[in-house]
mmCIF file of all heavy atoms in Angstrom:
data_model
loop_
_atom_site.group_PDB
_atom_site.id
_atom_site.type_symbol
_atom_site.label_atom_id
_atom_site.label_comp_id
_atom_site.label_asym_id
_atom_site.label_seq_id
_atom_site.Cartn_x
_atom_site.Cartn_y
_atom_site.Cartn_z
ATOM 1 N N GLY A 47 -20.518 17.604 -4.624
ATOM 2 C CA GLY A 47 -21.580 16.660 -4.309
ATOM 3 C C GLY A 47 -21.155 15.217 -4.175
ATOM 4 O O GLY A 47 -21.948 14.329 -4.405
ATOM 5 N N GLN A 48 -19.911 14.971 -3.810
ATOM 6 C CA GLN A 48 -19.449 13.604 -3.716
ATOM 7 C C GLN A 48 -19.389 13.100 -2.282
ATOM 8 O O GLN A 48 -18.870 12.033 -2.024
ATOM 9 C CB GLN A 48 -18.067 13.468 -4.350
ATOM 10 C CG GLN A 48 -18.075 13.748 -5.825
ATOM 11 C CD GLN A 48 -16.691 13.686 -6.414
ATOM 12 O OE1 GLN A 48 -15.706 13.517 -5.719
ATOM 13 N NE2 GLN A 48 -16.598 13.828 -7.718
ATOM 14 N N VAL A 49 -19.913 13.871 -1.345
ATOM 15 C CA VAL A 49 -19.893 13.452 0.049
ATOM 16 C C VAL A 49 -20.981 12.400 0.241
ATOM 17 O O VAL A 49 -22.124 12.592 -0.147
ATOM 18 C CB VAL A 49 -20.120 14.649 0.996
ATOM 19 C CG1 VAL A 49 -20.234 14.185 2.425
ATOM 20 C CG2 VAL A 49 -19.003 15.649 0.847
ATOM 21 N N LYS A 50 -20.605 11.285 0.820
ATOM 22 C CA LYS A 50 -21.545 10.193 1.036
ATOM 23 C C LYS A 50 -21.835 10.069 2.519
ATOM 24 O O LYS A 50 -20.960 10.297 3.348
ATOM 25 C CB LYS A 50 -20.952 8.868 0.541
ATOM 26 C CG LYS A 50 -20.738 8.822 -0.943
ATOM 27 C CD LYS A 50 -20.174 7.489 -1.357
ATOM 28 C CE LYS A 50 -19.930 7.458 -2.846
ATOM 29 N NZ LYS A 50 -19.350 6.202 -3.271
ATOM 30 N N SER A 51 -23.057 9.679 2.804
ATOM 31 C CA SER A 51 -23.401 9.436 4.203
ATOM 32 C C SER A 51 -22.687 8.172 4.677
ATOM 33 O O SER A 51 -22.165 7.402 3.877
ATOM 34 C CB SER A 51 -24.917 9.268 4.354
ATOM 35 O OG SER A 51 -25.324 8.030 3.794
ATOM 36 N N GLU A 52 -22.680 7.977 5.971
ATOM 37 C CA GLU A 52 -22.038 6.786 6.530
ATOM 38 C C GLU A 52 -22.706 5.523 6.002
ATOM 39 O O GLU A 52 -22.029 4.550 5.673
ATOM 40 C CB GLU A 52 -22.119 6.837 8.055
ATOM 41 C CG GLU A 52 -21.276 5.790 8.737
ATOM 42 C CD GLU A 52 -21.231 5.992 10.243
ATOM 43 O OE1 GLU A 52 -20.649 6.983 10.684
ATOM 44 O OE2 GLU A 52 -21.788 5.142 10.950
ATOM 45 N N ASP A 53 -24.032 5.542 5.900
ATOM 46 C CA ASP A 53 -24.752 4.389 5.358
ATOM 47 C C ASP A 53 -24.335 4.103 3.919
ATOM 48 O O ASP A 53 -24.096 2.954 3.544
ATOM 49 C CB ASP A 53 -26.258 4.613 5.413
ATOM 50 C CG ASP A 53 -26.826 4.595 6.819
ATOM 51 O OD1 ASP A 53 -26.042 4.422 7.782
ATOM 52 O OD2 ASP A 53 -28.047 4.775 6.967
ATOM 53 N N GLU A 54 -24.230 5.151 3.104
ATOM 54 C CA GLU A 54 -23.822 4.978 1.708
ATOM 55 C C GLU A 54 -22.390 4.442 1.619
ATOM 56 O O GLU A 54 -22.095 3.603 0.762
ATOM 57 C CB GLU A 54 -23.922 6.306 0.957
ATOM 58 C CG GLU A 54 -25.340 6.777 0.729
ATOM 59 C CD GLU A 54 -25.404 8.184 0.172
ATOM 60 O OE1 GLU A 54 -24.515 9.006 0.490
ATOM 61 O OE2 GLU A 54 -26.353 8.456 -0.585
ATOM 62 N N GLN A 55 -21.538 4.908 2.507
ATOM 63 C CA GLN A 55 -20.157 4.426 2.508
ATOM 64 C C GLN A 55 -20.096 2.949 2.858
ATOM 65 O O GLN A 55 -19.349 2.190 2.238
ATOM 66 C CB GLN A 55 -19.310 5.230 3.494
ATOM 67 C CG GLN A 55 -19.045 6.645 3.047
ATOM 68 C CD GLN A 55 -18.310 7.463 4.095
ATOM 69 O OE1 GLN A 55 -18.115 7.018 5.216
ATOM 70 N NE2 GLN A 55 -17.923 8.668 3.738
ATOM 71 N N ILE A 56 -20.875 2.533 3.848
ATOM 72 C CA ILE A 56 -20.892 1.116 4.233
ATOM 73 C C ILE A 56 -21.416 0.269 3.085
ATOM 74 O O ILE A 56 -20.838 -0.771 2.758
ATOM 75 C CB ILE A 56 -21.715 0.909 5.513
ATOM 76 C CG1 ILE A 56 -20.958 1.508 6.703
ATOM 77 C CG2 ILE A 56 -22.013 -0.572 5.748
ATOM 78 C CD1 ILE A 56 -21.728 1.517 7.986
ATOM 79 N N LEU A 57 -22.507 0.713 2.456
ATOM 80 C CA LEU A 57 -23.070 -0.046 1.336
ATOM 81 C C LEU A 57 -22.065 -0.127 0.183
ATOM 82 O O LEU A 57 -21.927 -1.185 -0.443
ATOM 83 C CB LEU A 57 -24.378 0.575 0.875
ATOM 84 C CG LEU A 57 -25.544 0.462 1.864
ATOM 85 C CD1 LEU A 57 -26.726 1.273 1.372
ATOM 86 C CD2 LEU A 57 -25.929 -0.986 2.093
ATOM 87 N N GLU A 58 -21.359 0.962 -0.087
ATOM 88 C CA GLU A 58 -20.343 0.949 -1.141
ATOM 89 C C GLU A 58 -19.202 -0.015 -0.792
ATOM 90 O O GLU A 58 -18.733 -0.772 -1.645
ATOM 91 C CB GLU A 58 -19.791 2.361 -1.364
ATOM 92 C CG GLU A 58 -18.726 2.440 -2.429
ATOM 93 C CD GLU A 58 -19.235 2.135 -3.835
ATOM 94 O OE1 GLU A 58 -20.459 2.201 -4.070
ATOM 95 O OE2 GLU A 58 -18.400 1.797 -4.688
ATOM 96 N N ASN A 59 -18.780 -0.021 0.464
ATOM 97 C CA ASN A 59 -17.736 -0.954 0.892
ATOM 98 C C ASN A 59 -18.199 -2.399 0.771
ATOM 99 O O ASN A 59 -17.414 -3.285 0.429
ATOM 100 C CB ASN A 59 -17.299 -0.653 2.324
ATOM 101 C CG ASN A 59 -16.426 0.580 2.413
ATOM 102 O OD1 ASN A 59 -15.770 0.950 1.451
ATOM 103 N ND2 ASN A 59 -16.426 1.220 3.565
ATOM 104 N N ILE A 60 -19.470 -2.653 1.047
ATOM 105 C CA ILE A 60 -20.023 -4.003 0.895
ATOM 106 C C ILE A 60 -19.994 -4.411 -0.571
ATOM 107 O O ILE A 60 -19.608 -5.534 -0.911
ATOM 108 C CB ILE A 60 -21.437 -4.097 1.486
ATOM 109 C CG1 ILE A 60 -21.379 -3.990 3.011
ATOM 110 C CG2 ILE A 60 -22.121 -5.395 1.056
ATOM 111 C CD1 ILE A 60 -22.728 -3.863 3.685
ATOM 112 N N ARG A 61 -20.387 -3.490 -1.463
ATOM 113 C CA ARG A 61 -20.352 -3.790 -2.905
ATOM 114 C C ARG A 61 -18.922 -4.120 -3.357
ATOM 115 O O ARG A 61 -18.698 -5.072 -4.096
ATOM 116 C CB ARG A 61 -20.875 -2.593 -3.699
ATOM 117 C CG ARG A 61 -22.364 -2.464 -3.705
ATOM 118 C CD ARG A 61 -22.801 -1.324 -4.651
ATOM 119 N NE ARG A 61 -24.012 -0.731 -4.144
ATOM 120 C CZ ARG A 61 -24.081 0.362 -3.374
ATOM 121 N NH1 ARG A 61 -22.988 1.021 -3.058
ATOM 122 N NH2 ARG A 61 -25.232 0.816 -2.957
ATOM 123 N N VAL A 109 -28.331 -0.537 8.804
ATOM 124 C CA VAL A 109 -28.189 0.057 7.477
ATOM 125 C C VAL A 109 -28.919 -0.837 6.489
ATOM 126 O O VAL A 109 -28.695 -2.040 6.447
ATOM 127 C CB VAL A 109 -26.701 0.191 7.088
ATOM 128 C CG1 VAL A 109 -26.563 0.667 5.649
ATOM 129 C CG2 VAL A 109 -25.991 1.114 8.042
ATOM 130 N N HIS A 110 -29.780 -0.222 5.690
ATOM 131 C CA HIS A 110 -30.520 -0.968 4.677
ATOM 132 C C HIS A 110 -30.299 -0.309 3.320
ATOM 133 O O HIS A 110 -30.161 0.901 3.219
ATOM 134 C CB HIS A 110 -32.026 -0.972 5.003
ATOM 135 C CG HIS A 110 -32.343 -1.598 6.306
ATOM 136 N ND1 HIS A 110 -32.335 -2.956 6.493
ATOM 137 C CD2 HIS A 110 -32.646 -1.048 7.503
ATOM 138 C CE1 HIS A 110 -32.633 -3.222 7.753
ATOM 139 N NE2 HIS A 110 -32.835 -2.074 8.407
ATOM 140 N N ASP A 112 -29.663 -1.321 -1.273
ATOM 141 C CA ASP A 112 -29.312 -2.270 -2.321
ATOM 142 C C ASP A 112 -27.796 -2.444 -2.340
ATOM 143 O O ASP A 112 -27.068 -1.480 -2.550
ATOM 144 C CB ASP A 112 -29.804 -1.748 -3.678
ATOM 145 C CG ASP A 112 -29.555 -2.720 -4.801
ATOM 146 O OD1 ASP A 112 -29.472 -3.947 -4.524
ATOM 147 O OD2 ASP A 112 -29.431 -2.275 -5.944
ATOM 148 N N ILE A 113 -27.342 -3.654 -2.120
ATOM 149 C CA ILE A 113 -25.905 -3.896 -2.072
ATOM 150 C C ILE A 113 -25.380 -4.618 -3.306
ATOM 151 O O ILE A 113 -24.191 -4.841 -3.425
ATOM 152 C CB ILE A 113 -25.485 -4.672 -0.792
ATOM 153 C CG1 ILE A 113 -26.209 -5.987 -0.697
ATOM 154 C CG2 ILE A 113 -25.703 -3.817 0.425
ATOM 155 C CD1 ILE A 113 -25.723 -6.869 0.429
#
Side-chain angles (χ1 to χ4, degrees):
Q48 296 177 355
V49 174
K50 295 181 181 178
S51 71
E52 190 172 292
D53 290 1
E54 290 171 328
Q55 289 175 352
I56 290 173
L57 292 172
E58 180 66 19
N59 285 335
I60 291 171
R61 282 186 211 96
V109 174
H110 300 284
D112 184 26
I113 58 173

